[in-house]
Amino acid sequence: MRVDNYDFRDLANRFEDEYERALAAIGTFNVAVFGDTGAGKSTLINAVFGRQLAATDIGDSITQHITYHGGAPEPLGIYDNRGFGLDDASDVDSIIAELRRIVAENKARPISERIHVVWFVTNSYSRRFLESHARFVRALADLGLPVMMVLTQVPTTRDGEYHKDAVALAEHIKKLRLPSTPRGKVYMVNSIGDPDLGQPAHGLRELLEGTFPVVPAAVHEALIAAQRVDLDLKRKKARQIVLGSAAAAGGSGAVPVPIVSDAGVLAIVMTMIAKVSAAYGITLGKRRTMRVAAVAFSGGATIASGRIVAKLVATMVAKSAGKAVPYVNFAVAAVSAGTAAALTSASGFAWMKVCERMLVEPDLKEEDASRIFAEEFTTRSKESAPKK
Ligand SMILES: Nc1nc2c(ncn2[C@@H]2O[C@H](COP(=O)(O)OP(=O)(O)OP(=O)(O)O)[C@@H](O)[C@H]2O)c(=O)[nH]1
Ligand SMILES: [Mg+2]
């Protein structure tokens, strides 16, 4: 079968559909961050999720005091009280009333659309925790929301101990016996390190680990996709997808090895990269993600030219770049099941590397994506690909 017999548009649309479907399956984790202005809410969100809550991100004002950022199809939604402090009793009352309404409305909505946890943020430098703060936290708990107390910008000594003033503030908060989870714990965090001051970032992983047990299991995948603190959680998920796809491409253990349908393998690879991208929480938009994938895979294609990957590239490049590709006129030899599985897993692992880079470098140049892909693809296919 010749590659140019494929319906390119159909296959590229498939990527977009699968990407959307994968994001929908992952759902959305919603965190509410509350605290005084300047407490470090945006800095914390940034550090944990890599999402910039800059002044330009005005979000949707869903009530007078509460803003919602992100949300479906993204794996992360953020509620905050940006612009309003909690030191003014009347603001606190208004916010509580607004939250009561939101929580009541959300009861009729799917789990994925509710508030899953509140991080109540206090800056350790503020050296204060007001009665209005305590009242606010109690009200949140009364609404049935799990509240985690977070002390940010906590300095550490050279021996790695928390600064005594921060410890004293944490002790003060604990003595208030607030209904926070787990058991009044105060999470000690420094969202961004300062090398000049010898201050490392710390506490983010512990905060993340503490969050999983208090949110519904149904949003754990979304939390894994959204967070940027523990890459291994994403890797584990992505690896499952890749190995599952490779098995499917290989015809799941059929012996003797049959000749698999190359169109079928192509579809499996498309779905795999869509699912892997979603599992990593790549939210660059489906078009941009696909363009990077197309160029990245063309690196792999030069290695495995004339094979499955080449066809994938031909498909994607033709659709996304409108370019003529040399592979298009290749008559592709039938591929054995073993080869299909090996190529699928090699390209899946290579795409994982590209996703990991895109997380820290959203503007990753396409030629760099291609190089990263090709390196990993070469290593992986040497490891696993059967000869011819
Ligand atoms: N090093 C360090 N600096 C922090 C931390 N948290 C906050 N800061 C500093 O405090 C400033 C204010 O933090 P923001 O994250 O903007 O505070 P916010 O709660 O979002 O404030 P509003 O959006 O105005 O309500 C930041 O510019 C940081 O310089 C932290 O954990 N570590
Ligand atoms: Mg902010």
Side-chain angles (χ1 to χ4, degrees):
M1 184 181 191
R2 292 173 66 91
V3 178
D4 50 2
N5 291 341
Y6 284 110
D7 181 346
F8 290 150
R9 223 166 339 163
D10 197 53
L11 279 159
N13 284 340
R14 185 188 178 96
F15 174 83
E16 301 192 354
D17 291 348
E18 292 290 350
Y19 188 47
E20 272 167 15
R21 197 171 315 172
L23 285 174
I26 286 170
T28 302
F29 164 74
N30 292 309
V31 59
V33 271
F34 296 127
D36 276 333
T37 44
K41 302 182 295 292
S42 303
T43 309
L44 178 66
I45 291 298
N46 229 339
V48 177
F49 301 107
R51 189 188 163 99
Q52 307 284 337
L53 278 189
T56 49
D57 184 356
I58 52 165
D60 297 326
S61 292
I62 52 174
T63 66
Q64 196 194 339
H65 296 80
I66 299 171
T67 309
Y68 185 61
H69 312 261
E74 289 180 43
L76 177 67
I78 305 150
Y79 291 85
D80 75 359
N81 63 312
R82 193 159 52 89
F84 294 93
L86 299 172
D87 39 5
D88 182 321
S90 74
D91 274 342
V92 168
D93 287 335
S94 310
I95 298 174
I96 292 170
E98 288 167 14
L99 269 173
R100 185 171 294 124
R101 222 165 55 228
I102 293 169
V103 169
E105 280 169 14
N106 284 355
K107 285 219 169 92
R109 300 221 172 104
I111 289 179
S112 183
E113 292 176 23
R114 301 178 196 166
I115 298 174
H116 301 120
V117 67
V118 178
W119 288 348
F120 189 90
V121 178
T122 306
N123 195 303
S124 81
Y125 279 85
S126 72
R127 309 259 166 91
R128 60 173 205 173
F129 191 85
L130 303 175
E131 172 48 33
S132 59
H133 296 147
R135 189 158 62 84
F136 185 65
V137 169
R138 290 195 187 97
L140 295 174
D142 285 345
L143 291 175
L145 298 171
V147 184
M148 297 168 74
M149 304 299 291
V150 186
L151 211 54
T152 54
Q153 209 167 350
V154 172
T156 42
T157 65
R158 234 170 261 134
D159 309 328
E161 307 279 340
Y162 301 130
H163 191 279
K164 61 179 180 11
D165 291 347
V167 173
L169 183 56
E171 288 306 320
H172 167 73
I173 294 171
K174 279 182 211 161
K175 283 208 186 94
L176 297 173
R177 303 192 152 274
L178 298 172
S180 67
T181 182
R183 294 180 311 281
K185 182 181 169 95
V186 177
Y187 286 85
M188 308 291 263
V189 165
N190 187 21
S191 300
I192 38 173
D194 187 338
D196 291 340
L197 296 176
Q199 288 294 321
H202 63 79
L204 296 171
R205 186 176 285 254
E206 201 187 353
L207 177 64
L208 178 68
E209 282 168 2
T211 301
F212 278 102
V214 305
V215 304
V219 298
H220 282 190
E221 267 195 50
L223 178 53
I224 290 171
Q227 57 84 31
R228 303 284 169 93
V229 174
D230 190 345
L231 203 54
D232 270 341
L233 295 174
K234 292 177 195 282
R235 268 187 204 129
K236 221 165 111 193
K237 181 69 208 164
R239 204 177 291 132
Q240 278 171 6
I241 296 166
V242 171
L243 295 178
S245 306
S252 51
V255 181
V257 177
I259 300 298
V260 295
S261 139
D262 30 13
V265 173
L266 187 49
I268 288 168
V269 173
M270 278 283 190
T271 305
M272 173 181 72
I273 62 172
K275 281 186 177 167
V276 167
S277 308
Y280 271 101
I282 303 288
T283 49
L284 302 175
K286 53 193 180 184
R287 287 279 146 73
R288 156 91 171 131
T289 305
M290 194 180 76
R291 211 170 51 242
V292 175
V295 178
F297 273 71
S298 66
T302 53
I303 303 156
S305 55
R307 295 251 179 95
I308 291 295
V309 177
K311 293 202 284 186
L312 178 69
V313 176
T315 304
M316 296 174 89
V317 172
K319 163 77 172 159
S320 66
K323 279 187 208 148
V325 243
Y327 315 113
V328 172
N329 292 319
F330 263 60
V332 178
V335 178
S336 80
T339 308
L343 285 175
T344 302
S345 68
S347 50
F349 285 119
W351 181 243
M352 281 170 61
K353 284 271 162 159
V354 178
C355 287
E356 288 178 20
R357 181 61 86 81
M358 277 197 286
L359 286 180
V360 289
E361 205 182 324
D363 300 327
L364 179 69
K365 289 206 187 75
E366 285 158 10
E367 62 261 32
D368 290 333
S370 177
R371 185 180 42 75
I372 293 164
F373 185 97
E375 276 168 21
E376 186 68 11
F377 186 90
T378 310
T379 314
R380 292 282 179 173
S381 30
K382 271 190 204 131
E383 273 167 19
S384 61
K387 299 270 170 292
K388 280 261 155 148

